[in-house]
Amino acid sequence: MMRTFKLEQSKTEILSPHGGLALVGHCLNQLTTLGKTSRTISKRHGISNIDLIRTYLGQMCLGKSDFEAVELARKDPFFNAAMGIKQSVSSARLRQRFDEDSRALIPLLDAASIEFLQNAQVPISALSTGHVPLDMDVFPMDNSGTKKEGVSYTYKGHDGYAPIAAYLGLEGWCMACELRPGSQHANNEFLHALDRILPRVRSLSDKPILVRLDSAHDAIENRQYLSEQAMDYLIKWNPRKQEPLAWYEKASAATTWCYLRPGKMEATFSEILDETAYARRVIRVTVRQSDANGQLFLEPQIKLEGWLTTLRPDVADDHAVIALYRDHATSEQFHSEFKTDLDLERLPSGKFDTNDLVMAFAVLAYNILRWMGLRGLMGKDAPVRHKAKRRRLKTVMQELMYMACRMVSSGRQLTLRFGKHCPGFKAFSSVYGNI
């Protein structure tokens, strides 16, 4: 017979299902100077800016982006102690203050995110060529059915936003995730975004940078700008009105065809575009005379693809260039972590600037959780998981953020007690001890 439990609610003990907030609060207060810089936004009275930041960042790291979620934490002693909050804030006041000060708070959060990465001395891994990848891309966020400011028709066929994000290194550290209206073209104001992002990149790594972009950014202005900044690039070529048959003839004259299967052949070659500021175009022409089942086509199907790069052949040959760009698709995984793990598919405010501030909070939360995953969930003491190069944010939340603990106050000392069989205790301790 199954035993039943007697349910009781303690009147004295302070229990929390979110022990990982102690790590987030420690990172924010020890590895950033937001406590000082937030005072530059003067307020004559009311709750301090740093308490607003700590409150919302704590909720963001738990995957709660809506303002109403802070009501659950207002009277939680552990939440306030873990994040270092002196005065709790209501959801209505939080929304109002963010609406008032969003433009002033965004630069502070952007600077704090880079400051955290510097002080935490995060690893920034390079590619086989020795370059550190900087992947930039636009991704859609579905906010259809709303009347929020800036929501418009996106290239995915729904109404929403189209923020542009930048990720550094193989670990995927986020340099920025700037909100944009859904209908804005990816290359519109792209150089202005680079002006803000490249100084952050240089402050974190002195290795050569390889900027990887999709075909929406195939513009001569972008290539000239990156060359002037002494940065290598790898950009997907946009053939636009090119004639595939003409390139088929060029491929036949430049190289030999590789037969992948009966009825399908492929040729890869490159051509120099600029000798002075070295640049070349790698082209791949694929010809299909039948499908995979052997059904013949009335006319051969010719597919034309290309990549523009400043990487020299001795650094990366034609096939290596294609493989390097294929790895650019990893950034799509990082986009999904913003939208699903941090619950940011539908943004919480009706005002564009406030939602842009929410994305700045998301960048800081993303980097903190990414660092926690690399520091605590990749070693021998980590809870049992499959092997991986990194842990996605959802895994970090499951293994480190959602750890039940009890807060004990004795002799002016706060102690966190975890269960005897807590599988993540050693990982939690290793992260906390390295802050």
Side-chain angles (χ1 to χ4, degrees):
M1 181 178 179
M2 182 179 293
R3 300 183 63 179
T4 59
F5 293 94
K6 179 181 178 181
L7 303 182
E8 292 182 352
Q9 187 172 13
S10 174
K11 297 181 180 180
T12 57
E13 293 183 319
I14 301 176
L15 305 174
S16 175
H18 306 132
L21 286 169
L23 299 176
V24 176
H26 212 38
C27 286
L28 180 66
N29 298 322
Q30 297 295 323
L31 299 180
T32 73
T33 57
L34 267 174
K36 295 180 180 179
T37 57
S38 61
R39 297 173 191 165
T40 58
I41 306 175
S42 59
K43 290 291 179 182
R44 294 183 179 180
H45 56 80
I47 300 173
S48 64
N49 293 313
I50 188 60
D51 280 346
L52 299 175
I53 293 172
R54 288 166 176 163
T55 299
Y56 194 66
L57 182 67
Q59 292 296 327
M60 181 75 73
C61 289
L62 295 176
K64 301 176 181 179
S65 61
D66 55 301
F67 295 125
E68 287 70 20
V70 303
E71 294 293 343
L72 302 175
R74 287 188 69 185
K75 298 180 181 180
D76 184 351
F78 172 75
F79 183 90
N80 293 331
M83 297 302 298
I85 299 170
K86 296 180 180 179
Q87 189 175 0
S88 299
V89 61
S90 67
S91 60
R93 188 58 179 150
L94 183 72
R95 182 189 294 269
Q96 182 183 17
R97 288 282 293 274
F98 281 0
D99 289 344
E100 294 173 354
D101 300 326
S102 56
R103 288 292 93 194
L105 285 170
I106 289 173
L108 301 183
L109 289 167
D110 289 341
S113 184
I114 302 303
E115 182 185 23
F116 165 74
L117 296 176
Q118 291 172 336
N119 293 336
Q121 298 180 350
V122 298
I124 302 176
S125 302
L127 299 164
S128 58
T129 61
H131 294 76
V132 173
L134 175 63
D135 295 297
M136 297 183 64
D137 198 6
V138 169
F139 63 95
M141 300 173 68
D142 188 355
N143 282 255
S144 56
T146 67
K147 297 182 179 180
K148 300 173 185 176
E149 184 181 1
V151 167
S152 52
Y153 197 71
T154 68
Y155 65 89
K156 281 293 186 179
H158 56 67
D159 290 334
Y161 296 105
I164 184 169
Y167 306 99
L168 183 66
L170 298 180
E171 294 80 9
W173 306 111
C174 189
M175 298 291 98
C177 191
E178 301 177 357
L179 196 64
R180 291 179 165 199
S183 59
Q184 181 172 334
H185 189 273
N187 202 49
N188 188 9
E189 298 184 356
F190 178 68
L191 294 182
H192 297 297
L194 284 175
D195 287 335
R196 292 185 291 271
I197 293 170
L198 294 186
R200 304 173 193 176
V201 172
R202 290 194 178 96
S203 68
L204 291 171
S205 178
D206 55 0
K207 296 179 180 179
I209 304 297
L210 178 64
V211 182
R212 297 190 290 193
L213 307 169
D214 65 13
S215 58
H217 303 289
D218 176 13
I220 190 170
E221 294 83 3
N222 296 338
R223 301 199 296 270
Q224 289 176 346
Y225 179 90
L226 292 172
S227 297
E228 292 170 359
Q229 298 294 321
M231 289 193 172
D232 289 310
Y233 58 78
L234 175 53
I235 306 174
K236 185 69 180 292
W237 178 43
N238 189 344
R240 294 183 174 92
K241 297 181 179 181
Q242 297 287 332
E243 177 56 49
L245 187 59
W247 285 99
Y248 167 78
E249 295 174 354
K250 283 187 178 181
S252 300
T255 185
T256 56
W257 291 91
C258 176
Y259 291 87
L260 304 179
R261 61 167 173 80
K264 180 181 178 181
M265 60 183 185
E266 183 178 276
T268 302
F269 64 101
S270 61
E271 60 180 12
I272 305 299
L273 297 179
D274 190 347
E275 288 285 358
T276 54
Y278 180 83
R280 63 175 165 140
R281 176 164 49 205
V282 177
I283 301 101
R284 183 169 65 188
V285 180
T286 304
V287 180
R288 291 180 175 87
Q289 297 173 333
S290 66
D291 62 16
N293 297 322
Q295 179 65 47
L296 294 175
F297 300 137
L298 293 177
E299 293 183 354
Q301 296 180 352
I302 303 176
K303 181 180 179 181
L304 177 62
E305 296 177 282
W307 298 264
L308 305 165
T309 184
T310 53
L311 297 176
R312 295 182 177 274
D314 57 337
V315 176
D317 60 19
D318 295 348
H319 295 284
V321 166
I322 297 174
L324 287 172
Y325 184 81
R326 188 183 299 118
D327 186 59
H328 170 66
T330 305
S331 61
E332 296 292 339
Q333 301 174 19
F334 305 145
H335 300 335
S336 70
E337 292 180 86
F338 274 103
K339 296 197 289 185
T340 58
D341 299 358
L342 295 181
D343 191 29
L344 287 172
E345 178 75 45
R346 299 178 75 84
L347 293 172
S349 178
K351 297 187 177 182
F352 183 87
D353 287 346
T354 304
N355 284 331
D356 197 11
L357 174 62
V358 169
M359 296 304 295
F361 270 102
V363 171
L364 180 55
Y366 170 98
N367 286 330
I368 290 176
L369 293 174
R370 176 71 72 210
W371 178 80
M372 288 169 53
L374 288 174
R375 179 67 68 174
L377 299 181
M378 302 300 293
K380 297 180 179 179
D381 295 331
V384 178
R385 285 277 182 171
H386 61 82
K387 292 183 179 180
K389 295 180 180 179
R390 69 185 76 84
R391 300 298 181 192
R392 69 175 295 148
L393 303 191
K394 184 178 180 180
T395 303
V396 179
M397 293 178 185
Q398 291 173 338
E399 300 295 350
L400 292 178
M401 294 302 299
Y402 299 134
M403 288 181 62
C405 65
R406 181 173 67 164
M407 186 174 71
V408 180
S409 177
S410 178
R412 298 183 180 180
Q413 176 68 47
L414 292 178
T415 303
L416 292 185
R417 290 183 179 173
F418 297 87
K420 180 179 180 180
H421 302 289
C422 178
F425 177 73
K426 290 184 178 180
F428 190 102
S429 301
S430 66
V431 176
Y432 197 87
N434 280 282
I435 299 176

